[in-house]
């Protein structure tokens, strides 16, 4: 008899893999981007960051599952927070959740829920401070995301501040977690802990805003819009009227303003990266590849504001390869990285516009 082939289609077959092989295969199934960037990290960080991403993906799977009611999502999120913190009851949780997932959830995420007990088992092999960082992130995501899932998002979010909160719950808290893990890994990095924690939230927001802008029309197809109405009120466009055919100048102007805001967050991502020691090449690559791909995506959007499908603004494989090559050549030089960032992203700025917050929030100059 031939040996059973190891495949995501056969969750039981994954038991033959080592922990790192197991997590790598799951990452390839649920996120090509993170399957590419996480292996760049030093060996002592790889396993914990891979595990962290899988935990966050489980929360995403629960929140995105169309067959679950708001109450069910709240229940499963609450239970999962407890499981991550304690390591207990992961098997009955997986058995209860797995059959409720619909076909709209991708096969790799079905498998992720089936093998959830082993993911949790790996979580609790890490040091106490690492587990605490992971659990805090999961708790923030799992408690914050349902707030927005319960909203009527057909006409977008009310204000930029609301978008900031959403981005924090889905990405900013992940940035904080990574900063904590990097500081735990290196006393040299920990010297900048306070500044890294502050910048990490902006780093996460820049990446998430890029995803939101890229996926406007995919989200609209589901009756969802994550854009802030106050930005578009200023340009004279009502997001309730958003359709693939709605390419008014007022809408495009609002998109330009949001691109400028995203650019300012990605500038903070650069500051974050430059605080990391130049000899930590793997961690820098992990950050720079994400940053570079976000800049290139925003440039494609800015150059094609009339796009009506995310495929039209996805960066090519050659662009990804170029990002990897350039960062490998320049990643240790703060001066070169600053020069390249300013050179490649200068068209993303909106120099003649300042965001006027509707409340007591400070204006954002771009």
């Amino acid at each position: 008899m031939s040996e059973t082939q190891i495949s995501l289609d056969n969750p039981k077959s994954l038991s033959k893999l080592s922990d790192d092989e197991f997590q790598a295969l799951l990452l390839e199934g649920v996120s090509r981007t993170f399957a590419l960037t996480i292996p760049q990290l030093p060996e002592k960080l790889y396993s914990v960051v891979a595990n962290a991403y899988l935990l966050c993906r489980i929360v995403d799977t629960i929140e995105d599952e169309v067959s679950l009611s708001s109450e069910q999502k709240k229940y499963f999120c609450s239970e999962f927070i407890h499981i991550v913190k304690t390591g207990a009851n992961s098997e009955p949780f997986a058995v209860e959740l797995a059959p409720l997932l619909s076909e709209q959830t991708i096969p790799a995420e079905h498998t992720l829920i089936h093998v959830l007990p082993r993911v949790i088992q790996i979580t609790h092999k890490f040091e106490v401070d690492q587990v605490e960082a992971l659990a805090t992130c999961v708790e923030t995501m799992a408690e914050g995301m349902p707030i927005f899932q319960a909203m009527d998002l057909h006409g977008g979010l009310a204000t930029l501040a609301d978008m900031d909160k959403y981005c924090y719950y889905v990405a900013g808290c992940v940035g904080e977690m990574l900063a904590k893990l990097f500081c735990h890994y290196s006393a040299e990095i920990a010297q900048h802990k306070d500044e890294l924690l502050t910048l990490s939230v902006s780093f996460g927001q820049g990446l998430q805003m890029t995803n939101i802008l890229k996926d406007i029309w995919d989200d609209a197809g589901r009756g969802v819009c994550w854009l802030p109405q106050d930005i578009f009120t200023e340009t004279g466009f009502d997001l309730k009227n958003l359709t693939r055919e709605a390419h008014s100048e007022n809408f495009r102007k609002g998109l330009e303003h949001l691109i400028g805001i995203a650019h300012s967050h990605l500038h903070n991502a650069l500051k974050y990266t430059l605080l990391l020691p130049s000899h930590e090449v793997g961690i820098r690559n992990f950050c720079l590849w994400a940053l570079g791909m976000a800049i290139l995506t925003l440039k494609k959007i800015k150059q094609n504001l009339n796009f009506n499908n995310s495929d039209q603004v996805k960066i090519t494989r050659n662009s990804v390869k170029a990002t990897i090559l350039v960062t490998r050549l320049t990643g240790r030089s703060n001066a070169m990285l600053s020069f390249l960032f300013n050179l490649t992203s200068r068209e993303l700025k909106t120099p003649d516009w300042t965001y006027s917050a509707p409340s007591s929030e400070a204006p954002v100059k771009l």
Side-chain angles (χ1 to χ4, degrees):
M1 291 180 63
S2 60
E3 290 188 14
T4 304
Q5 185 174 4
I6 295 171
S7 166
L8 287 177
D9 296 329
N10 181 6
K12 290 183 179 178
S13 70
L14 306 190
S15 62
K16 301 176 181 179
L17 301 174
S18 69
D19 286 350
D20 282 349
E21 290 170 338
F22 168 79
Q23 294 196 133
L25 188 60
L26 286 171
L27 279 174
E28 287 175 18
V30 298
S31 174
R32 289 181 181 177
T33 300
F34 282 100
L36 178 71
T37 59
I38 292 176
Q40 303 310 307
L41 294 169
E43 187 178 348
K44 290 183 179 179
L45 275 171
Y46 169 79
S47 186
V48 65
V49 174
N51 188 261
Y53 182 80
L54 295 175
L55 295 176
C56 292
R57 192 64 181 224
I58 290 167
V59 178
D60 284 340
T61 300
I62 295 168
E63 289 300 335
D64 293 342
E65 177 49 65
V66 295
S67 72
L68 296 178
S69 68
S70 294
E71 283 304 309
Q72 285 176 305
K73 290 179 180 182
K74 188 175 180 180
Y75 162 75
F76 281 115
C77 281
S78 176
E79 288 295 302
F80 189 59
I81 291 169
H82 178 73
I83 288 167
V84 174
K85 285 182 175 180
T86 66
N89 299 320
S90 60
E91 290 194 19
F93 177 88
V95 169
E96 185 178 5
L97 176 58
L100 300 179
L101 299 182
S102 68
E103 291 184 358
Q104 290 196 36
T105 291
I106 63 172
E109 288 178 345
H110 278 266
T111 298
L112 177 58
I113 300 304
H114 279 290
V115 300
L116 182 151
R118 185 173 178 189
V119 175
I120 295 296
Q121 189 180 48
I122 294 170
T123 304
H124 285 270
K125 291 180 179 179
F126 303 131
E127 295 180 29
V128 173
D129 288 347
Q130 293 174 311
V131 175
E132 184 179 349
L134 269 57
T136 299
C137 177
V138 167
E139 183 171 22
T140 301
M141 288 185 77
E143 289 183 345
M145 288 172 66
I147 296 171
F148 289 89
Q149 293 284 351
M151 293 180 179
D152 178 4
L153 294 166
H154 175 72
L157 296 165
T159 67
L160 181 62
D162 293 319
M163 180 189 245
D164 292 347
K165 290 176 187 174
Y166 172 69
C167 288
Y168 175 70
Y169 288 135
V170 299
C173 64
V174 178
E176 286 180 326
M177 173 193 65
L178 289 170
K180 291 175 186 176
L181 293 176
F182 294 166
C183 289
H184 177 271
Y185 160 80
S186 163
E188 187 178 0
I189 294 175
Q191 292 174 10
H192 302 287
K193 185 172 184 177
D194 290 343
E195 193 174 356
L196 287 170
L197 283 171
T198 300
L199 292 170
S200 67
V201 175
S202 190
F203 196 151
Q205 177 150 355
L207 298 181
Q208 187 61 29
M209 284 187 71
T210 302
N211 285 333
I212 288 172
L213 293 171
K214 173 176 66 72
D215 294 334
I216 289 171
W217 303 113
D218 294 348
D219 291 333
R222 300 183 292 111
V224 172
C225 177
W226 297 107
L227 305 177
Q229 178 59 58
D230 64 339
I231 295 289
F232 291 88
T233 298
E234 187 179 308
T235 65
F237 185 84
D238 190 337
L239 290 172
K240 290 186 176 66
N241 300 323
L242 184 63
T243 66
R244 289 179 189 269
E245 293 74 35
H247 291 309
S248 73
E249 179 61 29
N250 294 343
F251 177 67
R252 292 193 292 272
K253 183 62 69 177
L255 280 187
E256 287 184 336
H257 292 170
L258 285 174
I259 290 168
I261 293 170
H263 170 269
S264 67
H265 285 295
L266 292 178
H267 188 255
N268 284 337
L270 176 69
K271 291 179 183 177
Y272 176 100
T273 306
L274 299 185
L275 285 174
L276 301 171
S278 60
H279 62 83
E280 291 291 357
V281 177
I283 303 178
R284 280 200 169 200
N285 282 343
F286 174 79
C287 296
L288 289 169
W289 292 7
L291 173 56
M293 287 186 273
I295 289 292
L296 293 178
T297 300
L298 286 180
K299 287 183 69 170
K300 290 202 77 168
I301 296 170
K302 184 73 176 276
Q303 292 161 2
N304 185 17
L305 293 171
N306 285 324
F307 81 102
N308 58 20
N309 187 303
S310 61
D311 288 340
Q312 296 169 358
V313 291
K314 282 182 179 175
I315 60 174
T316 64
R317 289 186 178 182
N318 284 340
S319 293
V320 174
K321 289 178 182 177
T323 300
I324 292 171
L325 177 60
V326 169
T327 52
R328 280 183 170 159
L329 291 173
T330 63
R332 294 174 69 110
S333 169
N334 286 4
M336 279 299 299
L337 290 174
S338 296
F339 172 76
L340 285 171
F341 179 89
N342 292 329
L343 179 68
T344 57
S345 69
R346 62 188 185 279
E347 68 192 74
L348 302 178
K349 297 180 180 180
T350 48
D352 300 325
W353 175 75
T354 300
Y355 172 66
S356 300
S359 63
S360 59
E361 299 168 50
V364 177
K365 291 190 176 181
L366 303 165

